[in-house]
Amino acid sequence: MFEDIRKEFPILKNSLFGKKFVYLDNAATTQKPQSVIDRFTQYYSKENANIHRGPYELSINATQLWEQAHESVASFINADSYKEIIFVRNSTEGLNFLVNTFGRELLSDGDIVVISEMEHHSNIVSWMLLQKQINFKLKYIPVKDDLTLDIDWLKDLVKKNGKKVKIVSVVHISNVLGIKNDVEEIFKIAKSVDAFTILDAAQSIARCEVNVKKIGCDALVFSGHKVYGPTGSGAIYCKLEYLEKLTPWMGGGEMISKVSKDGFEYNDLPWKFEAGTPDIGGGIVLGSAIEWLKNTVENVGGWDVIINHEQGLIGYLLNQFNGIEWFKHFGPNDISLKYGVVAFNIEGFTFRGCKNVLNIETSRDGNGISEFLNISGVAFREGYHCAEPLHDKFCIGPTLRFSLGIYNNEEDIKYATNILKQAVLRGLS
Ligand SMILES: Cc1ncc(COP(=O)(O)O)c(C=O)c1O
């Protein structure tokens, strides 16, 4: 079943440096199935036109496709309507949109925004930038030693500060730990003081069911390129009741229905928030990728089958290092908590960008290990994965990360882990 899915991805048939190509950098971006690639070609060879403007066939058709893509996303995450879906370039743009609209409208000096210690930089730095203009406090839900979030800390914060807690914005699945947070509970606590709730679904959107009603978030972001779709595409979901009242971040064409020297009127939702010519091809192909994933999930028998498959591979991966002292997994050892991502350190080695962490003076340079993996055809990631505060908290330098996609198999894991063992042996000798 999963082998048939794998065959749909042409890039995986390639070799690299004459070696097997093993792609384990799916948390950074996913590869694309042939049908998604074909949809791109079809759009640009037969359907390209600007939307919502031209009275001619191609433009009318492109407009319909653009609107259908919004429908596909809405139905995938169980939103009420396509009007709640705004297309953007990626999760980062989505988060910056929310910070610069809701952040500006809801926050005053002394208010509190809650994020967590395992956020991606896009859900940290965007708030820090807004702090240059509004003097609100940015509080981090601590990550406990078992690597779960400290929900009691949040309860306590909310109890002490009540409605001063205005926004709670957290990641669904950590791109380093692979852990899925209990966001349902976090948002329930946030709602007890009417805080606005934001979910960063960048990693979860392709790894588990993301159902906005069950999760109970007011807004959500994800990137198209992490869900087997194109780069430059992504979406924000936001409840209609909020979007209706919200002032757009950007003004220009498309977001207005009327302009005079004295003022303007807004276009309908969601176009009110999509100023200028968007990435039409990217958005339409994102719709196709979402449809592809929806069908694939149905065909394999549901999300649980995909989760079991990925967790089985994670278990297999971690087993390859049983009894190996130098392999230091950075994540929960309970595999049922892990979704698609394995970050780790190699004791005795440091990697690019290493700061002053434990044992740095006695460590060897790990770049040779990375290079050996590279020339052996293994695609992986090294660094802080845009989650530097999380690494700092545990005094851990840059980590290596293997991350899975729907097409990875045991053979990939066996190959990559063998190469890693060889690389470390070479590094030690
Ligand atoms: C959890 C998380 N949030 C946000 C992002 C940002 O995504 P993008 O670079 O597509 O904007 C990433 C990217 O890795 C991520 O893993």
Short mmCIF file of all heavy atoms in Angstrom, two decimals, residues 27 90-92 120 122 171 173 175 200 202-203 223 225-226, ligand 1:
data_model
loop_
_atom_site.label_atom_id
_atom_site.label_comp_id
_atom_site.label_asym_id
_atom_site.label_seq_id
_atom_site.Cartn_x
_atom_site.Cartn_y
_atom_site.Cartn_z
N ALA A 27 10.35 17.29 7.26
CA ALA A 27 9.85 18.37 8.13
C ALA A 27 10.22 19.72 7.53
O ALA A 27 9.57 20.73 7.82
CB ALA A 27 10.43 18.22 9.53
N ASN A 90 3.17 30.89 3.02
CA ASN A 90 3.68 29.81 3.89
C ASN A 90 3.19 30.05 5.33
O ASN A 90 2.51 31.05 5.59
CB ASN A 90 5.21 29.75 3.85
CG ASN A 90 5.84 31.12 4.02
OD1 ASN A 90 5.37 31.93 4.83
ND2 ASN A 90 6.88 31.41 3.26
N SER A 91 3.58 29.18 6.24
CA SER A 91 3.17 29.33 7.64
C SER A 91 3.73 30.62 8.23
O SER A 91 3.07 31.28 9.04
CB SER A 91 3.69 28.16 8.48
OG SER A 91 3.29 26.94 7.94
N THR A 92 4.94 30.94 7.86
CA THR A 92 5.58 32.14 8.41
C THR A 92 4.76 33.38 8.06
O THR A 92 4.49 34.23 8.92
CB THR A 92 7.02 32.28 7.84
OG1 THR A 92 7.74 31.11 8.18
CG2 THR A 92 7.73 33.51 8.39
N HIS A 120 8.52 27.24 16.76
CA HIS A 120 9.36 27.61 15.62
C HIS A 120 9.58 29.13 15.68
O HIS A 120 8.72 29.87 16.18
CB HIS A 120 8.60 27.24 14.34
CG HIS A 120 9.35 27.45 13.07
ND1 HIS A 120 9.40 28.66 12.42
CD2 HIS A 120 10.08 26.59 12.32
CE1 HIS A 120 10.11 28.52 11.31
NE2 HIS A 120 10.55 27.29 11.23
N SER A 122 9.18 31.41 13.73
CA SER A 122 8.13 32.24 13.13
C SER A 122 7.03 32.58 14.14
O SER A 122 6.33 33.58 13.99
CB SER A 122 7.53 31.56 11.90
OG SER A 122 7.14 30.25 12.21
N VAL A 171 2.29 25.53 18.86
CA VAL A 171 2.56 24.59 17.77
C VAL A 171 1.84 23.26 18.06
O VAL A 171 1.76 22.83 19.20
CB VAL A 171 4.09 24.39 17.62
CG1 VAL A 171 4.71 23.68 18.81
CG2 VAL A 171 4.44 23.68 16.34
N ILE A 173 2.47 20.06 16.30
CA ILE A 173 3.53 19.04 16.39
C ILE A 173 4.87 19.77 16.28
O ILE A 173 5.10 20.53 15.33
CB ILE A 173 3.40 18.00 15.26
CG1 ILE A 173 2.13 17.16 15.48
CG2 ILE A 173 4.64 17.11 15.20
CD1 ILE A 173 1.90 16.09 14.43
N ASN A 175 8.58 20.56 15.41
CA ASN A 175 9.43 20.14 14.30
C ASN A 175 10.79 19.62 14.76
O ASN A 175 11.63 19.26 13.95
CB ASN A 175 9.63 21.30 13.30
CG ASN A 175 10.39 22.46 13.89
OD1 ASN A 175 10.26 22.73 15.08
ND2 ASN A 175 11.18 23.14 13.10
N ASP A 200 -0.28 26.54 15.16
CA ASP A 200 0.72 26.38 14.10
C ASP A 200 0.66 24.91 13.66
O ASP A 200 1.18 24.03 14.34
CB ASP A 200 2.10 26.75 14.64
CG ASP A 200 3.20 26.49 13.61
OD1 ASP A 200 2.90 25.96 12.53
OD2 ASP A 200 4.37 26.81 13.91
N ALA A 202 1.95 23.69 10.87
CA ALA A 202 2.92 23.48 9.79
C ALA A 202 3.34 22.01 9.69
O ALA A 202 3.43 21.46 8.59
CB ALA A 202 4.15 24.37 10.01
N GLN A 203 3.59 21.37 10.83
CA GLN A 203 4.03 19.97 10.80
C GLN A 203 2.85 19.00 10.83
O GLN A 203 2.90 17.93 10.23
CB GLN A 203 4.96 19.67 11.98
CG GLN A 203 6.31 20.36 11.92
CD GLN A 203 7.13 19.94 10.70
OE1 GLN A 203 7.02 18.82 10.22
NE2 GLN A 203 7.94 20.85 10.20
N SER A 223 1.70 25.42 5.71
CA SER A 223 2.43 25.68 4.45
C SER A 223 2.09 24.61 3.44
O SER A 223 2.09 23.41 3.78
CB SER A 223 3.95 25.62 4.68
OG SER A 223 4.36 26.47 5.69
N HIS A 225 3.95 23.58 0.99
CA HIS A 225 5.08 22.73 0.58
C HIS A 225 5.34 21.59 1.57
O HIS A 225 6.08 20.66 1.26
CB HIS A 225 6.35 23.58 0.40
CG HIS A 225 6.90 24.16 1.66
ND1 HIS A 225 7.92 23.58 2.35
CD2 HIS A 225 6.55 25.26 2.36
CE1 HIS A 225 8.19 24.32 3.42
NE2 HIS A 225 7.37 25.35 3.44
N LYS A 226 4.74 21.66 2.76
CA LYS A 226 4.93 20.57 3.72
C LYS A 226 3.81 19.54 3.62
O LYS A 226 3.77 18.57 4.35
CB LYS A 226 4.99 21.13 5.15
CG LYS A 226 6.23 22.00 5.40
CD LYS A 226 6.36 22.30 6.87
CE LYS A 226 7.23 23.49 7.17
NZ LYS A 226 8.66 23.28 7.04
C1 LIG B 1 6.37 24.07 13.38
C2 LIG B 1 6.73 24.99 12.26
N1 LIG B 1 6.16 26.20 12.17
C3 LIG B 1 6.42 27.05 11.18
C4 LIG B 1 7.29 26.72 10.19
C5 LIG B 1 7.56 27.70 9.09
O1 LIG B 1 7.19 27.16 7.87
P1 LIG B 1 7.55 27.91 6.51
O2 LIG B 1 9.05 27.97 6.46
O3 LIG B 1 6.96 27.08 5.44
O4 LIG B 1 6.94 29.26 6.60
C6 LIG B 1 7.92 25.48 10.22
C7 LIG B 1 8.93 25.10 9.20
O5 LIG B 1 9.67 24.17 9.34
C8 LIG B 1 7.62 24.59 11.26
O6 LIG B 1 8.18 23.37 11.34
#
